[in-house]
Amino acid sequence: MSLTSAQINELAEFLDNAERNRKPVTKITDRFPDMDWKDAYDIQYALRARKEAAGHRIAGLKMGLTSRAKMIQMNVAEPVYGFLTDYGSIPDGGDVPMSELVQPRIEAEIAFVTKADLSGPGCHIGQVLAATDFVLPAVEILDSRYENFKFDLKSVVADNTSAARYVAGSVGKRVDGLDLRTLGVVVEKNGAIVATAAGAAVLGHPAASVAMLANMLARRGAHIPAGTFIMTGGLTEALAVAVGDHIHVRYQDLGSVSMRFV
Ligand code: OOG
Ligand code: MG
């Protein structure tokens, strides 16, 4: 089935309101069980247009559900992409106000910043590494607009893949001397280690996630422009956080990223 453009816009407004009013809703496929993949991304693009019309800027792109840990946790089997907003950015070491969020979860990721355009189809790791300016450590703070993070893949695509906040670290490294597959990551919550992972957890190599993004964008006639900040997806499963929690993620070769939930 294909939704009408009136339905696409109505669903984008519905999800935008859920975010702005911090009122979680039930997944939209309950109401539109026959919506297709194009409908799901059409809703996400309509949501993105609403944000821009409201004066927000798009600050980057994200891939999600790129690791087995995340696929198992969310019971889905395919990666998805979404966008990052300017108001979602939290400085490294900064405070994350819980009053603005409903049910945040954090995940450690590796982010890329590109220096050349990347286009699919057929985009591969070699092209991604050649087009990478530097990589950064990053933490995504998800906040699903669906009650208790209960969704299917189409619903979460429409909801901009639960994107809410993100923190990028400040140590940018060129990829030449790095083996991103074996790069280790240690997640600490209030001083205790709560998760560990290596870069290969994301599709065997985080650059494969960027290549997949270029190939997915190509289906809509879009590409990744030079200078894009891209989060490649959670390396570990997402961890719930509460007021007072301090998160500190250590990255081999890339320094660390931290934040406090207030
Ligand atoms: C969907 C977003 C997943 C990631 O890094 O895997 C994501 C969700 O789990 O709510 O951003
Ligand atoms: Mg993520």
Side-chain angles (χ1 to χ4, degrees), residues 115-138:
K115 61 181 176 190
D117 291 359
L118 279 169
S119 306
C123 184
H124 56 69
I125 288 188
Q127 288 162 336
V128 173
L129 293 178
T132 300
D133 200 353
F134 51 89
V135 290
L136 285 173

Side-chain angles (χ1 to χ4, degrees), residues 62 107 109 140 234:
K62 59 164 282 190
E107 42 189 31
E109 308 203 7
E140 181 168 30

